[in-house]
Amino acid sequence: MSIITTNIELALTQLQQGNIVAIPTETVYGLAGNADNEDAVRKIYALKNRPLNHPLIMHVAQDWDLSQWVSTIPDYAKILMQHFWPGPLTLVFQSQAKRVSPSITGGQATVAIRCPKHPIAQTLLSRLGMPLVAPSANPFGKVSPTTAQHVQKSFADSDLLILDGGRCEVGIESTIIAATHPDAYQILRPGMIDESALRRLLPGRELNEFTTLRVPGRLAKHYQPEKTLYCFPDQQRMLQFCQQQAQKPYVLSFAKNTVFKDYPGYQLPDNADMTAFELYFQLRRADQSDASLLVIELPPDTSDWRAVRERIMKAGQTKA
Ligand code: TXA
Ligand code: MG
């Protein structure tokens, strides 16, 4: 049976022994294991039921020297690290092939590195003195957890220690950037550090043409709730759809309460950061409700909303 704790010493002992511990980060909870322990890495894939060709992010403490895992850090990446680390930004570098296990990188010549901001994650990393690999702490393809209780719900029967660090303040996964090209970066997964923030910091450095970099884990479906979820670009269509259903759907909308007042649901905040904070939390609440069908309104296709919009579109099916 999984247990929730706030005992950092206990978590450290488990990690040192090669066991998996669910840990808080500022984005979502992660299933963490010692990156130097092949057995621990294998346990993570098994627990998550994750295909082996979906590589893992290596988490490091602030100010660690990355040269033992990374072969080159382009200048623009140094600027990004200075500006956004610790924080919700993952950088994919050319790796020191002999130092990073192929089970972490999916056998590629690149490695993804993130320096999380959550103080508990930082404490664990600096006390351990070695990186932790940590995918989001959900079964493969499902909604990521933003509380310790969410993790426990998914892994109730596993012998898993869950370190409680409160609710994650960002609420969706980190932005992932390829820093493998010497002069230009590419966004591989949108996050709350968005395109316009990156452009402001690094004008003219975004790689526009498609690279040859293999990007595993870019699935059409991901972050999925248990119940069927339909996404709508506009409220009118969404309301019409709801009125046609025999049973009332659960409605996640930006509309003021009056429009969907006859439906169970939640009014999404009119702000991308706050919606990111609420999104997975509210999708899980919707799954717990009596409704058998969920509907959600899509935010606009602008830089600040892109990450939230992408998560919603992958979680559900878009209705035009
Ligand atoms: O916010 C986050 O990033 C969270 C917290 C726990 O840190 N972690 C997370 O991990 O979202 P995960 O495993 O759910 O997603 C990692 C993504 C996957 O899509 C994977 O394919 C990609 O990172 N990735 C990992 N290594 C890569 C590499 N070398 N090249 C390209 N993509 C990589
Ligand atoms: Mg994930």
Side-chain angles (χ1 to χ4, degrees):
M1 219 186 73
S2 63
I3 51 163
I4 296 179
T5 181
T6 52
N7 186 338
I8 293 186
E9 302 303 323
L10 185 60
L12 276 168
T13 312
Q14 292 289 315
L15 290 166
Q16 276 153 350
Q17 289 173 352
N19 291 318
I20 307 309
V21 177
I23 64 161
T25 82
E26 74 280 19
T27 56
V28 298
Y29 275 72
L31 279 182
N34 183 339
D36 277 352
N37 185 322
E38 199 61 20
D39 221 38
V41 178
R42 238 177 267 125
K43 280 186 205 163
I44 292 177
Y45 282 96
L47 193 57
K48 248 191 98 92
N49 200 12
R50 176 175 173 124
L52 292 169
N53 61 355
H54 285 249
L56 303 176
I57 296 174
M58 245 175 59
H59 295 67
V60 297
Q62 197 167 6
D63 299 327
W64 274 2
D65 174 10
L66 304 186
S67 61
Q68 50 179 317
W69 307 291
V70 173
S71 66
T72 3
I73 303 184
D75 286 344
Y76 65 85
K78 289 183 184 147
I79 298 173
L80 292 176
M81 288 156 70
Q82 241 164 34
H83 204 266
F84 292 117
W85 277 13
L89 177 73
T90 298
L91 291 163
V92 174
F93 295 110
Q94 298 292 350
S95 70
Q96 293 281 17
K98 291 201 184 74
R99 279 303 323 271
V100 190
S101 160
S103 52
I104 294 175
T105 64
Q108 302 189 98
T110 57
V111 61
I113 303 202
R114 161 159 140 74
C115 179
K117 191 176 168 189
H118 197 295
I120 292 181
Q122 280 294 327
T123 302
L124 288 172
L125 288 162
S126 50
R127 293 274 308 273
L128 272 171
M130 51 187 105
L132 288 169
V133 279
S136 52
N138 51 280
F140 185 65
K142 301 293 186 185
V143 178
S144 298
T146 55
T147 67
Q149 290 71 27
H150 291 167
V151 182
Q152 191 169 47
K153 193 151 195 317
S154 299
F155 297 102
D157 299 330
S158 314
D159 198 11
L160 178 69
L161 188 70
I162 304 162
L163 190 55
D164 193 347
R167 191 165 160 189
C168 303
E169 68 176 35
V170 177
I172 63 169
E173 304 81 354
S174 61
T175 306
I176 305 183
I177 284 177
T180 46
H181 188 286
D183 306 309
Y185 68 87
Q186 191 181 25
I187 300 175
L188 301 180
R189 178 175 71 185
M192 295 317 286
I193 293 175
D194 72 336
E195 203 177 304
S196 55
L198 296 165
R199 287 213 168 133
R200 269 197 303 277
L201 192 63
L202 299 170
R205 289 300 192 91
E206 202 196 352
L207 200 63
N208 290 318
E209 81 268 29
F210 207 72
T211 61
T212 51
L213 192 79
R214 186 164 74 85
V215 185
R218 264 195 184 171
L219 303 169
K221 289 281 151 233
H222 211 129
Y223 321 114
Q224 288 194 294
E226 300 304 322
K227 293 174 179 168
T228 303
L229 173 72
Y230 289 122
C231 324
F232 290 83
D234 86 88
Q235 288 171 11
Q236 213 43 47
R237 293 295 309 275
M238 190 152 101
L239 186 58
Q240 270 168 19
F241 174 87
C242 288
Q243 287 164 343
Q244 287 157 5
Q245 304 309 305
Q247 205 206 351
K248 284 186 180 173
Y250 191 96
V251 178
L252 295 142
S253 165
F254 297 97
K256 298 282 169 256
N257 284 331
T258 50
V259 183
F260 291 100
K261 67 175 186 324
D262 298 332
Y263 295 87
Y266 173 77
Q267 187 190 328
L268 295 164
D270 192 16
N271 163 296
D273 288 325
M274 280 163 66
T275 299
F277 175 70
E278 292 288 352
L279 182 66
Y280 292 157
F281 193 89
Q282 297 299 337
L283 282 175
R284 283 172 180 266
R285 280 184 60 179
D287 259 342
Q288 297 298 303
S289 75
D290 293 334
S292 51
L293 185 64
L294 320 179
V295 300
I296 188 165
E297 183 183 346
L298 281 169
D301 190 9
T302 52
S303 176
D304 54 337
W305 285 100
R306 193 146 297 139
V308 168
R309 190 177 152 93
E310 189 246 8
R311 300 305 191 283
I312 295 177
M313 290 174 83
K314 289 193 173 188
Q317 304 165 42
T318 305
K319 291 267 191 189

